[in-house]
Amino acid sequence: MNGIKIDNVVFNYPNGFCAIDDVSLEITKGEKIAIIGQNGAGKTTFVKMMNNLLRPTEGTITVDGIDLKELTTAQISKKVGYVFQNPGDQLFNRTVYDEIAYNPRYNKLEESKVKELVEDAAELCGITQYLKSNPYDLPFGLRKFVTIACVIAMGSEYIILDEPTAGQDLDGLVLQSKIIDELIKRNKTVIIITHDMEFVIDNFDRIVVMANKKIVADSTKKEIFWDFEILDKASLKQPYISKLAHDLKMKNYIIDIEGFIAEVKNK
Amino acid sequence: MKALEVKNLSFKYLIGKEKVFENLSLSINKGELVAIIGRNGSGKTTLCNLLRGFIPHLTQGDLEGDILLYDDSILKMDLSDLSDKIGYIFQNPFIQISGIKETVYEEIGFGLENLGVPRDEMIRRIEEIIKLLKIEDLKDKHPAELSGGQRQRVAIASILAMDPEILIIDEPTSQLDPKGTEEIFEIIKILKEQNKTIILVEHKIDLIAEYADRVILLNDKNIVFDGTTSEILSKEDVMSYGTNLPQIAKLGIEYNNKVEKLSKIPSVLEEAVEVFKDKV
Protein backbone atom coordinates (compact mmCIF):
# COMPACT_ATOMS: atom_id res chain seq x y z
CA MET A 1 0.00 0.00 0.00
CA ASN A 2 1.30 3.45 -0.91
CA GLY A 3 1.43 6.17 1.71
CA ILE A 4 2.38 6.49 5.35
CA LYS A 5 0.30 4.49 7.78
CA ILE A 6 0.65 5.13 11.49
CA ASP A 7 -1.08 2.67 13.78
CA ASN A 8 -1.65 3.22 17.50
CA VAL A 9 1.72 4.79 18.05
CA VAL A 10 2.96 5.67 21.53
CA PHE A 11 6.20 7.49 22.26
CA ASN A 12 7.81 7.73 25.67
CA TYR A 13 11.10 9.60 26.11
CA PRO A 14 13.81 7.68 28.01
CA ASN A 15 12.94 9.63 31.19
CA GLY A 16 9.44 8.16 30.95
CA PHE A 17 7.78 11.33 29.66
CA CYS A 18 5.00 10.39 27.26
CA ALA A 19 4.99 12.70 24.20
CA ILE A 20 2.63 10.77 21.89
CA ASP A 21 -0.26 8.80 23.25
CA ASP A 22 -1.91 6.24 20.94
CA VAL A 23 -2.02 8.13 17.65
CA SER A 24 -3.09 6.79 14.27
CA LEU A 25 -2.98 8.57 10.92
CA GLU A 26 -2.94 7.76 7.22
CA ILE A 27 -1.21 9.97 4.69
CA THR A 28 -1.82 9.30 1.02
CA LYS A 29 1.06 9.47 -1.41
CA GLY A 30 1.14 12.74 -3.35
CA GLU A 31 -0.98 14.77 -0.95
CA LYS A 32 -0.05 17.78 1.15
CA ILE A 33 -1.05 18.01 4.75
CA ALA A 34 -0.54 20.54 7.54
CA ILE A 35 -0.10 19.62 11.20
CA ILE A 36 -1.01 22.40 13.60
CA GLY A 37 -1.32 22.72 17.36
CA GLN A 38 0.21 24.25 20.44
CA ASN A 39 3.89 24.23 21.39
CA GLY A 40 4.48 21.00 23.27
CA ALA A 41 1.50 19.18 21.71
CA GLY A 42 3.85 16.54 20.29
CA LYS A 43 4.00 17.61 16.64
CA THR A 44 7.77 17.40 16.21
CA THR A 45 8.07 14.13 18.11
CA PHE A 46 5.29 12.71 15.97
CA VAL A 47 6.84 13.56 12.60
CA LYS A 48 10.34 12.53 13.70
CA MET A 49 9.00 9.00 14.06
CA MET A 50 8.06 9.01 10.37
CA ASN A 51 11.72 8.87 9.38
CA ASN A 52 13.24 6.88 12.21
CA LEU A 53 14.82 9.86 13.97
CA LEU A 54 12.75 8.58 16.87
CA ARG A 55 11.40 5.04 17.18
CA PRO A 56 7.91 4.47 18.57
CA THR A 57 7.69 2.86 22.01
CA GLU A 58 4.56 1.06 20.83
CA GLY A 59 2.66 0.75 17.56
CA THR A 60 3.84 0.55 13.96
CA ILE A 61 4.56 2.93 11.13
CA THR A 62 4.69 1.73 7.54
CA VAL A 63 5.81 3.72 4.52
CA ASP A 64 4.64 2.36 1.16
CA GLY A 65 3.86 -0.87 2.96
CA ILE A 66 7.33 -1.27 4.50
CA ASP A 67 7.60 -1.36 8.28
CA LEU A 68 10.02 1.39 9.34
CA LYS A 69 11.69 -1.05 11.74
CA GLU A 70 13.08 -2.85 8.68
CA LEU A 71 14.78 0.21 7.21
CA THR A 72 18.29 1.58 7.86
CA THR A 73 18.91 5.33 8.10
CA ALA A 74 20.29 5.42 4.55
CA GLN A 75 17.27 3.58 3.19
CA ILE A 76 14.82 5.76 5.05
CA SER A 77 16.28 8.95 3.55
CA LYS A 78 15.20 7.75 0.10
CA LYS A 79 11.68 7.48 1.45
CA VAL A 80 11.19 10.19 4.04
CA GLY A 81 13.19 13.39 4.44
CA TYR A 82 12.90 15.66 7.46
CA VAL A 83 13.79 19.36 7.51
CA PHE A 84 14.69 20.34 11.07
CA GLN A 85 13.01 23.18 12.92
CA ASN A 86 16.38 24.64 13.88
CA PRO A 87 18.77 24.70 10.87
CA GLY A 88 21.65 24.53 13.36
CA ASP A 89 20.66 20.94 14.14
CA GLN A 90 21.05 19.95 10.52
CA LEU A 91 23.86 21.90 8.86
CA PHE A 92 27.52 20.96 9.29
CA ASN A 93 29.36 21.38 5.98
CA ARG A 94 31.58 24.28 4.95
CA THR A 95 29.74 25.33 1.87
CA VAL A 96 26.12 25.31 0.87
CA TYR A 97 27.09 23.16 -2.12
CA ASP A 98 28.74 20.47 0.03
CA GLU A 99 25.83 20.57 2.41
CA ILE A 100 23.28 19.86 -0.32
CA ALA A 101 25.64 17.32 -1.95
CA TYR A 102 26.18 15.42 1.30
CA ASN A 103 23.41 12.87 0.98
CA PRO A 104 23.76 12.24 -2.79
CA ARG A 105 27.51 11.67 -2.23
CA TYR A 106 26.78 9.42 0.74
CA ASN A 107 24.66 7.39 -1.63
CA LYS A 108 27.71 7.15 -3.92
CA LEU A 109 26.13 8.88 -6.89
CA GLU A 110 28.35 10.01 -9.79
CA GLU A 111 29.69 13.54 -9.19
CA SER A 112 27.92 14.74 -12.36
CA LYS A 113 24.59 13.45 -11.03
CA VAL A 114 25.35 15.03 -7.65
CA LYS A 115 25.94 18.36 -9.37
CA GLU A 116 22.66 18.07 -11.23
CA LEU A 117 20.74 17.35 -8.01
CA VAL A 118 22.44 20.18 -6.10
CA GLU A 119 21.80 22.71 -8.84
CA ASP A 120 18.16 21.71 -9.21
CA ALA A 121 17.48 21.88 -5.47
CA ALA A 122 19.35 25.17 -5.09
CA GLU A 123 17.46 26.75 -7.96
CA LEU A 124 14.10 25.66 -6.60
CA CYS A 125 15.03 27.08 -3.19
CA GLY A 126 16.39 30.35 -4.57
CA ILE A 127 19.91 29.88 -3.19
CA THR A 128 21.95 29.30 -6.36
CA GLN A 129 23.99 32.46 -5.68
CA TYR A 130 25.01 31.17 -2.24
CA LEU A 131 26.35 27.74 -3.23
CA LYS A 132 29.92 28.75 -2.37
CA SER A 133 28.99 30.43 0.93
CA ASN A 134 29.33 28.91 4.36
CA PRO A 135 25.79 28.07 5.53
CA TYR A 136 26.49 29.81 8.83
CA ASP A 137 27.33 33.09 7.06
CA LEU A 138 23.75 33.18 5.79
CA PRO A 139 20.94 34.73 7.82
CA PHE A 140 18.47 32.39 9.53
CA GLY A 141 15.77 32.81 6.89
CA LEU A 142 18.05 31.75 4.04
CA ARG A 143 19.63 28.95 6.07
CA LYS A 144 16.19 27.42 6.25
CA PHE A 145 16.13 27.23 2.45
CA VAL A 146 19.51 25.45 2.52
CA THR A 147 18.00 22.77 4.75
CA ILE A 148 15.00 22.42 2.46
CA ALA A 149 17.31 22.10 -0.58
CA CYS A 150 19.24 19.30 1.19
CA VAL A 151 16.10 17.24 1.58
CA ILE A 152 14.99 17.90 -2.00
CA ALA A 153 18.39 16.72 -3.29
CA MET A 154 18.03 13.55 -1.22
CA GLY A 155 15.15 12.68 -3.53
CA SER A 156 12.89 11.62 -0.66
CA GLU A 157 9.33 10.69 -1.64
CA TYR A 158 7.87 12.17 1.53
CA ILE A 159 9.12 15.54 2.68
CA ILE A 160 8.50 16.80 6.20
CA LEU A 161 8.99 20.52 6.86
CA ASP A 162 9.10 21.43 10.55
CA GLU A 163 8.11 25.08 10.96
CA PRO A 164 9.64 26.37 7.74
CA THR A 165 7.63 29.60 8.00
CA ALA A 166 9.21 30.80 11.27
CA GLY A 167 11.10 34.05 10.72
CA GLN A 168 10.32 34.26 6.99
CA ASP A 169 9.42 37.51 5.31
CA LEU A 170 6.78 37.82 2.59
CA ASP A 171 9.22 36.84 -0.18
CA GLY A 172 10.26 33.77 1.83
CA LEU A 173 6.66 32.69 2.33
CA VAL A 174 5.85 33.16 -1.36
CA LEU A 175 8.90 31.06 -2.28
CA GLN A 176 7.89 28.32 0.16
CA SER A 177 4.44 28.15 -1.43
CA LYS A 178 6.13 27.78 -4.80
CA ILE A 179 8.42 25.00 -3.52
CA ILE A 180 5.47 23.09 -2.08
CA ASP A 181 3.55 23.38 -5.37
CA GLU A 182 6.57 22.16 -7.32
CA LEU A 183 7.11 19.20 -4.99
CA ILE A 184 3.47 18.17 -5.37
CA LYS A 185 3.86 18.48 -9.14
CA ARG A 186 6.83 16.12 -8.87
CA ASN A 187 4.51 13.67 -7.12
CA LYS A 188 6.11 14.16 -3.71
CA THR A 189 4.12 14.13 -0.50
CA VAL A 190 4.50 17.22 1.70
CA ILE A 191 3.88 17.23 5.44
CA ILE A 192 4.31 20.55 7.19
CA ILE A 193 4.23 21.75 10.78
CA THR A 194 3.49 25.45 11.11
CA HIS A 195 1.99 28.08 13.37
CA ASP A 196 1.18 30.38 10.46
CA MET A 197 -2.55 29.89 9.93
CA GLU A 198 -2.66 32.21 6.91
CA PHE A 199 0.02 30.08 5.27
CA VAL A 200 -2.03 26.97 6.01
CA ILE A 201 -5.12 28.52 4.46
CA ASP A 202 -3.25 29.61 1.35
CA ASN A 203 -1.54 26.28 0.74
CA PHE A 204 -3.31 23.35 2.38
CA ASP A 205 -6.72 21.82 2.55
CA ARG A 206 -6.27 18.83 4.85
CA ILE A 207 -5.34 19.77 8.38
CA VAL A 208 -4.40 17.58 11.31
CA VAL A 209 -4.76 19.22 14.71
CA MET A 210 -2.70 17.93 17.63
CA ALA A 211 -3.28 18.73 21.28
CA ASN A 212 -1.88 17.17 24.39
CA LYS A 213 -0.10 14.16 22.77
CA LYS A 214 -3.02 13.23 20.53
CA ILE A 215 -4.63 14.03 17.20
CA VAL A 216 -7.87 15.84 18.04
CA ALA A 217 -9.04 16.60 14.49
CA ASP A 218 -8.24 15.57 10.92
CA SER A 219 -10.37 17.43 8.42
CA THR A 220 -10.61 20.25 5.89
CA LYS A 221 -9.60 23.81 6.79
CA LYS A 222 -13.22 25.00 6.55
CA GLU A 223 -14.33 22.44 9.09
CA ILE A 224 -11.41 23.05 11.44
CA PHE A 225 -11.39 26.84 11.51
CA TRP A 226 -15.10 26.98 12.29
CA ASP A 227 -15.11 24.24 14.90
CA PHE A 228 -14.82 26.25 18.10
CA GLU A 229 -14.60 23.17 20.28
CA ILE A 230 -11.54 21.92 18.42
CA LEU A 231 -9.96 25.38 18.27
CA ASP A 232 -10.43 25.71 21.99
CA LYS A 233 -9.06 22.26 22.74
CA ALA A 234 -5.92 23.01 20.73
CA SER A 235 -5.60 26.63 21.96
CA LEU A 236 -5.94 27.86 18.40
CA LYS A 237 -7.81 30.89 17.19
CA GLN A 238 -9.84 31.55 14.10
CA PRO A 239 -7.80 33.18 11.35
CA TYR A 240 -8.49 36.92 10.97
CA ILE A 241 -10.85 36.73 8.01
CA SER A 242 -12.91 33.96 9.63
CA LYS A 243 -13.00 35.95 12.85
CA LEU A 244 -14.26 39.00 10.97
CA ALA A 245 -16.93 36.91 9.23
CA HIS A 246 -17.91 35.48 12.60
CA ASP A 247 -18.09 38.93 14.24
CA LEU A 248 -20.24 40.14 11.34
CA LYS A 249 -22.44 37.05 11.74
CA MET A 250 -21.82 35.98 8.16
CA LYS A 251 -22.53 32.39 7.23
CA ASN A 252 -20.87 29.85 4.96
CA TYR A 253 -17.65 29.18 6.86
CA ILE A 254 -15.58 31.93 5.27
CA ILE A 255 -11.85 31.42 5.67
CA ASP A 256 -10.19 33.65 3.09
CA ILE A 257 -10.35 37.06 1.42
CA GLU A 258 -11.75 35.62 -1.81
CA GLY A 259 -14.59 33.88 0.03
CA PHE A 260 -15.34 36.98 2.04
CA ILE A 261 -15.59 39.25 -0.98
CA ALA A 262 -17.72 36.72 -2.90
CA GLU A 263 -20.12 36.57 0.02
CA VAL A 264 -20.42 40.36 0.27
CA LYS A 265 -21.00 40.63 -3.49
CA ASN A 266 -23.74 38.01 -3.21
CA LYS A 267 -25.72 40.17 -0.84
CA MET B 1 11.18 63.25 25.11
CA LYS B 2 13.58 61.46 22.81
CA ALA B 3 14.90 58.24 24.33
CA LEU B 4 16.99 57.24 21.34
CA GLU B 5 18.18 59.25 18.41
CA VAL B 6 20.02 58.12 15.31
CA LYS B 7 21.76 60.92 13.45
CA ASN B 8 22.90 60.59 9.84
CA LEU B 9 24.04 57.05 10.34
CA SER B 10 25.96 55.14 7.72
CA PHE B 11 27.30 51.70 8.44
CA LYS B 12 29.16 48.93 6.68
CA TYR B 13 30.26 45.66 8.29
CA LEU B 14 34.00 45.05 8.19
CA ILE B 15 33.54 42.06 5.88
CA GLY B 16 30.52 43.52 4.07
CA LYS B 17 30.74 44.63 0.46
CA GLU B 18 27.96 47.16 0.70
CA LYS B 19 26.74 49.60 3.30
CA VAL B 20 23.80 48.42 5.40
CA PHE B 21 22.65 52.00 6.05
CA GLU B 22 23.31 55.24 4.29
CA ASN B 23 22.57 58.49 6.10
CA LEU B 24 19.73 57.14 8.21
CA SER B 25 18.11 59.38 10.82
CA LEU B 26 15.44 58.46 13.29
CA SER B 27 14.27 59.27 16.78
CA ILE B 28 12.26 57.21 19.22
CA ASN B 29 10.32 58.81 22.04
CA LYS B 30 10.22 57.57 25.58
CA GLY B 31 7.29 55.21 26.12
CA GLU B 32 6.78 54.54 22.43
CA LEU B 33 6.22 51.05 20.98
CA VAL B 34 7.88 51.11 17.57
CA ALA B 35 7.79 48.19 15.18
CA ILE B 36 10.57 47.83 12.65
CA ILE B 37 9.58 45.92 9.55
CA GLY B 38 11.18 45.12 6.20
CA ARG B 39 12.28 42.11 4.20
CA ASN B 40 14.97 39.81 5.57
CA GLY B 41 18.32 41.48 4.92
CA SER B 42 16.95 45.02 5.08
CA GLY B 43 18.97 45.75 8.23
CA LYS B 44 16.40 45.33 11.01
CA THR B 45 18.68 43.27 13.25
CA THR B 46 21.69 45.45 12.38
CA LEU B 47 19.73 48.52 13.47
CA CYS B 48 18.85 46.78 16.76
CA ASN B 49 22.51 45.91 17.30
CA LEU B 50 23.48 49.52 16.72
CA LEU B 51 20.85 50.84 19.13
CA ARG B 52 22.09 48.40 21.78
CA GLY B 53 25.73 49.30 21.18
CA PHE B 54 26.75 45.74 20.19
CA ILE B 55 27.88 47.56 17.06
CA PRO B 56 30.47 49.06 17.17
CA HIS B 57 31.51 47.82 20.64
CA LEU B 58 31.55 44.10 19.82
CA THR B 59 31.18 43.96 16.06
CA GLN B 60 33.18 46.52 14.16
CA GLY B 61 32.68 48.23 10.87
CA ASP B 62 32.79 51.56 9.11
CA LEU B 63 30.44 53.85 10.96
CA GLU B 64 29.55 57.47 10.41
CA GLY B 65 27.04 59.58 12.27
CA ASP B 66 25.95 59.18 15.87
CA ILE B 67 23.47 57.34 18.10
CA LEU B 68 22.27 58.99 21.28
CA LEU B 69 20.71 57.49 24.38
CA TYR B 70 19.09 60.59 25.82
CA ASP B 71 22.06 62.97 25.43
CA ASP B 72 24.91 60.50 25.56
CA SER B 73 26.52 58.96 22.53
CA ILE B 74 26.14 55.18 22.64
CA LEU B 75 29.27 54.94 20.53
CA LYS B 76 31.30 56.41 23.40
CA MET B 77 29.52 54.74 26.31
CA ASP B 78 30.77 51.64 28.04
CA LEU B 79 28.93 48.49 26.92
CA SER B 80 28.39 47.37 30.50
CA ASP B 81 26.81 50.75 31.38
CA LEU B 82 24.39 50.18 28.55
CA SER B 83 23.38 46.70 29.67
CA ASP B 84 21.13 47.76 32.53
CA LYS B 85 19.54 50.55 30.47
CA ILE B 86 18.79 48.70 27.25
CA GLY B 87 17.67 45.09 27.26
CA TYR B 88 18.04 43.02 24.11
CA ILE B 89 16.02 39.93 23.40
CA PHE B 90 17.64 37.92 20.65
CA GLN B 91 15.97 36.58 17.58
CA ASN B 92 17.22 33.08 18.19
CA PRO B 93 16.56 31.79 21.71
CA PHE B 94 18.99 28.95 21.02
CA ILE B 95 21.75 31.62 21.16
CA GLN B 96 20.46 33.72 24.02
CA ILE B 97 20.33 31.03 26.70
CA SER B 98 23.61 30.95 28.61
CA GLY B 99 24.17 27.20 28.50
CA ILE B 100 25.86 27.21 31.90
CA LYS B 101 22.83 27.22 34.19
CA GLU B 102 21.06 24.04 35.21
CA THR B 103 17.58 25.35 35.85
CA VAL B 104 15.34 27.93 34.25
CA TYR B 105 15.16 29.69 37.62
CA GLU B 106 18.92 30.19 37.69
CA GLU B 107 18.98 31.11 34.01
CA ILE B 108 16.60 33.98 34.70
CA GLY B 109 18.86 35.09 37.55
CA PHE B 110 22.01 34.98 35.41
CA GLY B 111 21.83 38.61 34.24
CA LEU B 112 20.99 39.83 37.74
CA GLU B 113 24.00 38.02 39.19
CA ASN B 114 26.21 39.77 36.69
CA LEU B 115 24.72 43.13 37.57
CA GLY B 116 25.48 42.40 41.25
CA VAL B 117 21.86 42.61 42.41
CA PRO B 118 21.45 41.55 46.08
CA ARG B 119 20.13 38.02 46.68
CA ASP B 120 16.73 38.96 48.19
CA GLU B 121 16.04 41.42 45.40
CA MET B 122 17.11 38.81 42.82
CA ILE B 123 14.69 36.24 44.17
CA ARG B 124 11.88 38.78 44.24
CA ARG B 125 12.45 39.82 40.63
CA ILE B 126 12.85 36.25 39.32
CA GLU B 127 9.59 35.20 40.92
CA GLU B 128 7.74 38.24 39.67
CA ILE B 129 8.89 37.57 36.11
CA ILE B 130 8.08 33.86 36.28
CA LYS B 131 4.56 34.79 37.26
CA LEU B 132 4.25 37.49 34.62
CA LEU B 133 5.34 35.11 31.86
CA LYS B 134 3.33 32.19 33.23
CA ILE B 135 6.30 29.81 33.26
CA GLU B 136 5.90 28.45 36.79
CA ASP B 137 5.91 24.91 35.38
CA LEU B 138 9.32 25.45 33.73
CA LYS B 139 11.29 26.89 36.62
CA ASP B 140 12.99 23.67 37.73
CA LYS B 141 13.62 22.35 34.23
CA HIS B 142 17.00 22.31 32.50
CA PRO B 143 17.11 25.04 29.82
CA ALA B 144 18.39 22.49 27.28
CA GLU B 145 15.30 20.31 27.53
CA LEU B 146 12.87 23.08 26.65
CA SER B 147 10.99 23.29 23.36
CA GLY B 148 11.63 26.22 21.00
CA GLY B 149 8.64 28.13 22.30
CA GLN B 150 9.50 27.52 25.93
CA ARG B 151 13.07 28.69 25.34
CA GLN B 152 11.77 31.86 23.76
CA ARG B 153 9.76 32.63 26.88
CA VAL B 154 12.75 31.93 29.14
CA ALA B 155 14.95 34.18 26.99
CA ILE B 156 12.44 36.99 27.41
CA ALA B 157 12.17 36.37 31.14
CA SER B 158 15.91 36.59 31.65
CA ILE B 159 16.01 40.05 30.09
CA LEU B 160 12.86 41.40 31.77
CA ALA B 161 14.30 40.35 35.13
CA MET B 162 16.96 43.04 34.67
CA ASP B 163 14.17 45.62 34.32
CA PRO B 164 15.74 47.78 31.61
CA GLU B 165 14.10 51.04 30.66
CA ILE B 166 14.41 50.42 26.94
CA LEU B 167 13.75 47.05 25.35
CA ILE B 168 14.84 45.87 21.95
CA ILE B 169 12.98 42.76 21.00
CA ASP B 170 14.02 40.92 17.85
CA GLU B 171 11.36 38.48 16.62
CA PRO B 172 10.28 37.28 20.03
CA THR B 173 7.62 34.91 18.77
CA SER B 174 9.21 33.13 15.80
CA GLN B 175 8.96 29.74 17.52
CA LEU B 176 5.67 30.30 19.28
CA ASP B 177 2.16 29.05 18.56
CA PRO B 178 -0.64 31.59 18.08
CA LYS B 179 -1.65 31.49 21.75
CA GLY B 180 1.93 31.82 22.99
CA THR B 181 2.45 34.66 20.53
CA GLU B 182 -0.55 36.57 21.86
CA GLU B 183 0.69 36.02 25.38
CA ILE B 184 4.01 37.63 24.47
CA PHE B 185 2.21 40.57 22.90
CA GLU B 186 0.13 40.92 26.05
CA ILE B 187 3.38 41.09 28.03
CA ILE B 188 4.69 43.70 25.62
CA LYS B 189 1.50 45.65 26.24
CA ILE B 190 2.07 45.50 30.00
CA LEU B 191 5.63 46.74 29.51
CA LYS B 192 4.31 49.61 27.44
CA GLU B 193 1.88 50.48 30.20
CA GLN B 194 4.90 50.61 32.52
CA ASN B 195 6.15 53.35 30.18
CA LYS B 196 9.00 51.29 28.75
CA THR B 197 10.33 52.28 25.37
CA ILE B 198 10.09 49.28 23.09
CA ILE B 199 11.62 48.59 19.71
CA LEU B 200 10.16 45.48 18.18
CA VAL B 201 11.20 43.53 15.10
CA GLU B 202 8.47 41.13 14.14
CA HIS B 203 7.05 39.47 11.02
CA LYS B 204 3.63 38.80 12.52
CA ILE B 205 2.16 41.89 11.01
CA ASP B 206 -1.44 41.31 12.15
CA LEU B 207 -0.26 41.65 15.74
CA ILE B 208 1.88 44.70 15.00
CA ALA B 209 -1.30 46.27 13.63
CA GLU B 210 -2.99 45.67 16.97
CA TYR B 211 -0.25 46.64 19.38
CA ALA B 212 2.33 49.06 17.92
CA ASP B 213 2.09 52.85 18.03
CA ARG B 214 4.35 53.41 15.11
CA VAL B 215 5.81 51.45 12.21
CA ILE B 216 9.13 51.98 10.45
CA LEU B 217 9.75 50.15 7.17
CA LEU B 218 13.38 49.64 6.18
CA ASN B 219 14.51 49.04 2.63
CA ASP B 220 17.65 49.65 0.63
CA LYS B 221 19.84 51.21 3.32
CA ASN B 222 17.26 53.62 4.66
CA ILE B 223 13.73 54.21 5.93
CA VAL B 224 10.95 54.05 3.32
CA PHE B 225 7.94 54.63 5.54
CA ASP B 226 7.71 55.97 9.08
CA GLY B 227 4.31 56.79 10.55
CA THR B 228 1.45 55.68 12.73
CA THR B 229 0.61 52.00 12.57
CA SER B 230 -2.78 52.43 10.90
CA GLU B 231 -1.35 54.83 8.34
CA ILE B 232 1.50 52.57 7.25
CA LEU B 233 -0.24 49.21 7.48
CA SER B 234 -3.01 50.21 5.13
CA LYS B 235 -0.63 51.10 2.27
CA GLU B 236 -0.63 48.61 -0.57
CA ASP B 237 2.96 49.62 -1.41
CA VAL B 238 4.26 47.99 1.76
CA MET B 239 3.98 44.61 0.06
CA SER B 240 6.32 45.65 -2.74
CA TYR B 241 9.05 45.88 -0.07
CA GLY B 242 8.81 42.19 0.77
CA THR B 243 6.68 42.78 3.85
CA ASN B 244 3.24 41.39 4.44
CA LEU B 245 0.23 43.46 5.39
CA PRO B 246 -2.34 42.41 7.98
CA GLN B 247 -4.97 40.05 6.55
CA ILE B 248 -7.59 42.64 7.39
CA ALA B 249 -5.77 45.35 5.41
CA LYS B 250 -5.31 42.98 2.47
CA LEU B 251 -9.03 42.32 2.49
CA GLY B 252 -9.74 46.07 2.62
CA ILE B 253 -7.36 46.80 -0.28
CA GLU B 254 -8.77 43.95 -2.39
CA TYR B 255 -12.32 45.10 -1.72
CA ASN B 256 -11.39 48.72 -2.38
CA ASN B 257 -9.75 47.82 -5.71
CA LYS B 258 -12.30 45.33 -6.98
CA VAL B 259 -15.69 46.08 -5.48
CA GLU B 260 -16.10 49.66 -4.29
CA LYS B 261 -14.01 52.45 -2.81
CA LEU B 262 -13.70 52.44 0.96
CA SER B 263 -13.35 55.65 2.93
CA LYS B 264 -10.64 54.01 5.01
CA ILE B 265 -8.63 50.81 4.64
CA PRO B 266 -8.98 48.95 7.96
CA SER B 267 -5.91 47.31 9.50
CA VAL B 268 -7.42 45.72 12.62
CA LEU B 269 -10.53 43.67 13.26
CA GLU B 270 -12.60 46.36 15.03
CA GLU B 271 -12.05 48.81 12.17
CA ALA B 272 -13.07 46.14 9.65
CA VAL B 273 -16.26 45.38 11.55
CA GLU B 274 -17.12 49.10 11.33
CA VAL B 275 -16.31 49.26 7.63
CA PHE B 276 -18.20 46.12 6.63
CA LYS B 277 -21.12 46.01 9.05
CA ASP B 278 -23.49 47.75 6.64
CA LYS B 279 -22.33 45.74 3.67
CA VAL B 280 -23.18 42.23 4.82
Side-chain angles (χ1 to χ4, degrees), chain A:
Chain A
M1 196 212 94
N2 279 345
I4 299 182
K5 197 160 181 293
I6 295 145
D7 279 314
N8 304 103
V9 159
V10 172
F11 185 82
N12 298 329
Y13 278 97
N15 65 5
F17 176 77
C18 173
I20 294 293
D21 183 12
D22 195 15
V23 166
S24 299
L25 182 71
E26 279 187 33
I27 298 168
T28 311
K29 195 164 194 166
E31 78 167 328
K32 48 181 179 174
I33 174 169
I35 301 177
I36 62 175
Q38 252 189 303
N39 288 121
K43 304 184 296 296
T44 296
T45 303
F46 183 53
V47 299
K48 278 184 172 173
M49 288 190 290
M50 295 182 201
N51 84 332
N52 275 352
L53 279 171
L54 296 172
R55 304 242 180 195
T57 315
E58 285 172 40
T60 51
I61 300 177
T62 61
V63 176
D64 296 343
I66 306 164
D67 192 328
L68 282 191
K69 291 187 199 91
E70 319 276 314
L71 294 180
T72 64
T73 314
Q75 288 167 326
I76 191 75
S77 68
K78 281 265 148 233
K79 285 278 177 206
V80 187
Y82 171 74
V83 179
F84 280 78
Q85 183 175 0
N86 177 11
D89 290 343
Q90 184 173 335
L91 299 171
F92 58 95
N93 281 286
R94 283 184 183 197
T95 68
V96 170
Y97 188 100
D98 287 343
E99 193 69 58
I100 305 174
Y102 181 78
N103 186 277
R105 282 176 181 157
Y106 182 87
N107 285 324
K108 303 202 166 40
L109 297 180
E110 293 279 332
E111 202 54 35
S112 62
K113 179 70 187 163
V114 171
K115 185 164 178 274
E116 200 180 295
L117 287 170
V118 171
E119 285 172 354
D120 167 69
E123 197 193 326
L124 184 53
C125 294
I127 50 171
T128 305
Q129 65 194 106
Y130 304 109
L131 283 172
K132 288 182 184 146
S133 308
N134 185 317
Y136 286 96
D137 287 340
L138 303 180
F140 184 90
L142 273 174
R143 233 181 284 156
K144 195 84 205 189
F145 284 99
V146 176
T147 60
I148 297 173
C150 290
V151 172
I152 292 173
M154 275 161 57
S156 314
E157 297 290 313
Y158 299 85
I159 295 179
I160 303 170
L161 304 168
D162 195 348
E163 290 196 36
T165 54
Q168 294 295 332
D169 58 13
L170 182 61
D171 299 343
L173 294 176
V174 169
L175 182 55
Q176 288 189 6
S177 299
K178 215 180 100 191
I179 293 170
I180 292 170
D181 286 348
E182 176 62 23
L183 291 173
I184 294 297
K185 225 182 268 171
R186 294 181 183 183
N187 205 25
K188 306 289 182 191
T189 308
V190 177
I191 300 154
I192 192 180
I193 294 177
T194 180
H195 291 308
D196 186 335
M197 297 305 138
E198 269 67 38
F199 189 79
V200 169
I201 287 171
D202 287 347
N203 294 284
F204 295 86
D205 190 42
R206 182 178 176 196
I207 299 174
V208 167
V209 184
M210 292 191 73
N212 197 22
K213 307 162 195 177
K214 286 180 184 293
I215 289 177
V216 294
D218 176 2
S219 189
T220 63
K221 56 190 169 193
K222 279 200 176 197
E223 296 278 341
I224 304 261
F225 289 127
W226 282 88
D227 187 331
F228 294 96
E229 204 177 308
I230 292 295
L231 293 175
D232 189 49
K233 210 187 253 182
S235 293
L236 294 169
K237 288 180 63 178
Q238 270 195 305
Y240 287 88
I241 302 299
S242 301
K243 180 91 176 54
L244 176 62
H246 179 253
D247 287 0
L248 291 168
K249 300 189 172 54
M250 293 164 77
K251 295 187 193 82
N252 285 340
Y253 299 149
I254 289 162
I255 49 168
D256 55 16
I257 292 173
E258 217 179 9
F260 186 97
I261 289 182
E263 184 73 12
V264 176
K265 273 186 174 168
N266 251 337
K267 275 287 286 187

